């Protein structure tokens, strides 16, 4: 898609060259609320159950080693099936895919919440991931095709990006409240209430789209990419609980890389490719995928290790920890909305997204100075707000530009690619940062008494600081890459593109 310093008020042109004034469905803002609720449900479940794990473990009696499977089962199913879910939405309709995804996610949540055994809980979490992989790309592609006015699209993606970026922090807060004042099972049952509104709203408001009966599902491509993504996510998950030298880590990573390479080769030859390479080869879109991947990896330096610091070093409760992240959420929502509605139409992504990366890196470096005598208001809050401002400048523009100008038939799989990058980035970030942090703690205790509580506390601080430095490195690399990859100027409207949305 061409890029020029076009005015921000450029509009789509039809085949006749006349301006298209249709702004989309009259109830499009209600549709945004429905889509946002569904997306919040998916994002929440990446973190909301984490705080409830100790309570669930005590209730069901599973081991520490098995505890990671409660998280891994969800991420494996979600990450490996996203592209399939996106193509299903394209082939069979986004409204049916959305409704089935929401309903299935609610049913899986009910199953997991009612679990009487470890196996039942893991099965429910895996089914959540499966239906989430159908729901998430359908939601984003519905947003893409609902808002056809450039200015309204900018606002809509700002709100959606804020939800996607802040959902993990909201999950920590909600998980803490539900676990502390009710029961760990309510971290799963809460999805039933969210899904009820999303189902009713989706059924009443969403419009059915025409189905292309000539298109077929790319079975070989589906098998290659699903198993390849499974290998990548599973390999990084095993790297957290095993050494990097374990075949369960490097073996699955290597197998996943080979399978994804084979998938890319096959997509150039398949008559009905699962992921047409035209979706990936646009320069701005590729830069947006890179931004999503790197920012997701870097964000775990905040959500994971700052949670540890607040609870273990400063003695915060689960609820107070969740509340501590709210200023970051507010900052993120502010810049997510401003970036798409004000900044991108004026200066373009080549300045905005790298600036967000720089702020993210600065916030992480600032966090490395935290100590045992640090206070929240003086030492934690300022870098937390700076990081939130940065993530908001990254997430919303990247989501918008990653789906901008995509042909209508490819909207679902393009949206799935965005979610896939975010999921893979999160898996990479979790595995790498956990491993590096653990190594830093072990190195600190060499030659010291490991049973001394002060040494243990200082070792924990050393591990957190190491994670923040590496997260800062992720964001710094992201600033460099996005500054190089994004085109100059304001994204222009392509008059020849299919009738999807443009910035």
């Amino acid at each position: 898609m061409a890029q020029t310093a076009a005015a921000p008020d450029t509009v789509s042109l039809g085949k006749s060259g006349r301006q298209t004034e249709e702004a989309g469905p009259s109830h499009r803002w209600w549709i945004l609320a429905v889509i946002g609720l569904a997306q919040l449900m998916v994002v929440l479940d990446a973190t909301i159950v984490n705080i409830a794990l100790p309570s669930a473990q005590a209730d069901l009696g599973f081991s520490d080693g098995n505890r990671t499977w409660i998280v891994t089962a969800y991420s494996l199913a979600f990450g490996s099936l996203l592209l399939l879910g996106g193509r299903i939405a394209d082939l069979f309709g986004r409204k049916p895919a959305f409704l089935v995804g929401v309903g299935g996610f609610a049913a899986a949540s009910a199953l997991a919440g009612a679990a009487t055994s470890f196996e039942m809980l893991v099965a429910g979490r895996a089914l959540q991931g499966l239906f989430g992989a159908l729901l998430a790309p359908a939601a984003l592609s519905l947003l893409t095709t609902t808002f056809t006015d450039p200015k309204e699209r900018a606002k809509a993606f700002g709100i959606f990006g804020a939800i996607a970026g802040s959902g993990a922090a909201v999950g920590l807060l909600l998980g803490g409240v539900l676990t502390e004042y009710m029961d760990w099972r309510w971290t799963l049952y809460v999805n039933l209430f969210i899904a009820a509104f999303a189902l009713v709203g989706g059924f009443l408001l969403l419009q059915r789209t025409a189905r292309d009966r000539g298109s077929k599902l790319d079975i070989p491509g589906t098998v290659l990419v699903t198993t390849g993504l499974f290998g990548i996510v599973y390999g990084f998950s095993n790297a957290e609980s095993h050494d990097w030298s374990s075949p369960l880590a490097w073996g699955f990573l290597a197998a996943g890389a080979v399978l994804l390479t084979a998938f890319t080769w096959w997509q150039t030859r398949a008559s009905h490719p699962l992921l047409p390479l035209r979706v990936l080869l646009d320069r701005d879109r590729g830069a947006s995928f890179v931004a999503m991947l790197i920012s997701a990896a870097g964000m775990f330096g905040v959500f994971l290790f700052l949670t540890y610091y607040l609870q273990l070093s400063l003695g915060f409760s689960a609820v107070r920890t969740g509340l501590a992240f709210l200023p970051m959420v507010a900052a993120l929502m502010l810049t997510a909305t401003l970036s798409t509605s004000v900044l991108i139409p004026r200066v373009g992504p080549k300045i905005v997204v790298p600036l967000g990366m720089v702020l993210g890196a600065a916030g992480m470096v600032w966090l490395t100075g935290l100590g045992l005598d640090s206070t929240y208001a003086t030492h934690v809050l300022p870098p937390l707000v700076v990081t939130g401002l940065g993530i908001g400048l990254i997430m919303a523009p990247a989501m918008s530009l990653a789906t901008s100008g995509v042909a209508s038939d490819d909207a679902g799989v393009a949206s799935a690619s965005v979610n896939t990058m975010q999921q893979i980035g999160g898996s990479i970030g979790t595995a790498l940062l956990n491993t590096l942090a653990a190594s830093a703690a072990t190195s600190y205790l060499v030659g010291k008494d490991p049973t001394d509580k002060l040494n243990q506390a200082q070792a924990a601080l050393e591990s957190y600081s190491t994670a923040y430095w590496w997260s800062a490195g992720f964001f710094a690399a992201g600033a460099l890459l996005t500054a190089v990859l994004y085109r100059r100027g304001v994204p222009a409207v392509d008059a020849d593109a299919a009738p999807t949305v443009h910035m």
Side-chain angles (χ1 to χ4, degrees):
M1 186 175 65
Q3 178 115 359
T4 63
D9 292 328
T10 50
V11 293
S12 296
L13 300 177
K15 291 182 179 180
S16 63
R18 298 178 61 188
Q19 178 175 320
T20 302
E21 296 181 355
E22 182 182 0
S26 58
H27 45 260
R28 56 195 175 278
W29 293 106
W30 285 106
I31 291 177
L32 173 61
V34 169
I35 294 171
L37 272 177
Q39 177 67 18
L40 179 63
M41 184 171 65
V42 173
V43 178
L44 278 177
D45 269 71
T47 57
I48 191 172
V49 177
N50 292 14
I51 288 180
L53 282 179
S55 299
Q57 184 177 3
D59 195 3
L60 300 180
F62 51 86
S63 66
D64 289 345
N66 286 333
R67 187 168 59 187
T68 58
W69 277 104
I70 310 302
V71 177
T72 303
Y74 179 83
S75 61
L76 279 177
F78 185 67
S80 59
L81 295 172
L82 271 166
L83 285 177
L84 175 60
R87 183 49 82 189
I88 288 174
D90 287 335
L91 294 180
F92 300 101
R94 286 176 274 278
K95 179 176 180 177
F98 178 84
L99 295 178
V100 171
V102 172
F105 199 97
S109 300
L111 174 67
T116 56
S117 66
F118 168 74
E119 292 78 13
M120 187 174 172
L121 179 57
V122 169
R125 289 287 287 166
L127 286 172
Q128 279 185 311
L130 184 153
F131 285 105
L134 181 63
L135 166 60
L140 185 54
S141 58
L142 280 166
L143 186 68
T144 302
T145 54
T146 296
F147 287 86
T148 54
D149 176 77
K151 290 183 178 180
E152 289 192 348
R153 180 182 194 269
K155 294 177 183 176
F157 265 89
I159 296 170
F160 191 83
I163 292 172
S166 62
V170 175
L172 292 173
L173 171 59
L174 190 56
V177 171
L178 293 174
T179 302
E180 188 165 328
Y181 295 110
M182 297 181 73
D183 185 77
W184 69 268
R185 298 180 186 274
W186 280 98
T187 62
L188 295 156
Y189 288 147
V190 69
N191 292 325
L192 301 179
F193 298 95
I194 301 174
F197 287 102
L199 267 178
V200 173
F203 182 80
L204 295 176
L205 299 175
L206 296 177
Q207 299 175 344
R208 282 191 173 272
T209 53
R211 175 184 167 189
D212 183 2
R213 299 186 179 275
S215 297
K216 298 179 181 179
L217 187 63
D218 175 16
I219 301 298
T222 299
V223 172
L224 285 171
V225 76
T226 300
T227 53
L229 290 173
F230 180 92
I232 295 293
V233 176
Y234 188 63
F236 277 115
S237 297
N238 279 322
E240 297 178 62
S241 53
H242 299 73
D243 192 83
W244 282 97
S245 61
S246 169
L248 289 175
W250 67 262
F252 275 95
L253 289 173
V258 170
L259 288 167
L260 291 180
T261 301
F263 168 73
T264 304
W265 170 83
W266 173 253
Q267 294 308 282
T268 64
R269 287 158 176 77
S271 55
H272 299 282
L274 179 69
L275 177 59
L277 295 185
R278 61 181 176 269
V279 173
L280 301 177
L281 295 179
D282 177 83
R283 184 170 167 181
D284 280 349
R285 200 171 299 129
S288 297
F289 289 146
V290 169
M292 292 298 296
L293 180 81
I294 292 176
S295 62
M299 279 170 60
F300 275 87
V302 183
F303 293 127
L304 187 61
F305 293 96
L306 191 57
T307 298
Y308 291 159
Y309 172 76
L310 291 174
Q311 291 190 350
L312 301 180
S313 298
L314 298 189
F316 280 29
S317 66
V319 174
R320 193 179 175 192
T321 299
L323 290 172
F325 281 100
L326 288 186
M328 176 187 176
V329 173
L332 191 156
M333 295 184 74
L334 173 66
T335 51
T337 305
L338 288 176
S339 61
T340 51
S341 60
V342 177
L343 298 178
I344 294 294
R346 284 171 170 76
V347 299
K350 196 174 185 70
I351 295 175
V352 175
V353 176
L355 174 61
M357 294 285 187
V358 170
L359 288 175
M364 289 295 163
V365 172
W366 200 340
L367 287 172
T368 61
L370 294 179
L372 295 177
D373 56 349
S374 298
T375 61
Y376 173 78
T378 304
H379 303 98
V380 178
L381 181 59
L384 199 60
V385 170
V386 169
T387 304
L389 293 172
I391 293 173
L393 291 176
I394 300 166
M395 296 286 287
M399 279 190 165
S400 178
L401 292 171
T403 55
S404 179
V406 178
S408 182
D409 291 342
D410 297 330
V413 75
S415 302
S417 299
V418 176
N419 285 281
T420 300
M421 291 298 171
Q422 192 172 9
Q423 181 65 29
I424 297 298
S427 297
I428 292 172
T430 303
L432 284 178
L433 295 179
N434 268 325
T435 303
L436 293 165
S439 298
T442 302
S443 298
Y444 179 84
L445 289 173
V446 172
K448 300 181 179 68
D449 180 7
T451 62
D452 183 79
K453 290 187 176 181
L454 181 58
N455 286 339
Q456 291 175 355
Q458 291 293 344
L461 288 179
E462 187 70 21
S463 69
Y464 306 153
S465 177
T466 299
Y468 300 145
W469 276 115
W470 277 92
S471 292
F474 291 155
F475 281 117
L480 179 61
L481 287 172
T482 53
V484 171
L485 291 175
Y486 275 117
R487 295 186 183 98
R488 293 182 181 275
V490 177
V493 174
D494 183 359
D496 297 324
T500 49
V501 203
H502 307 281
M503 285 293 290

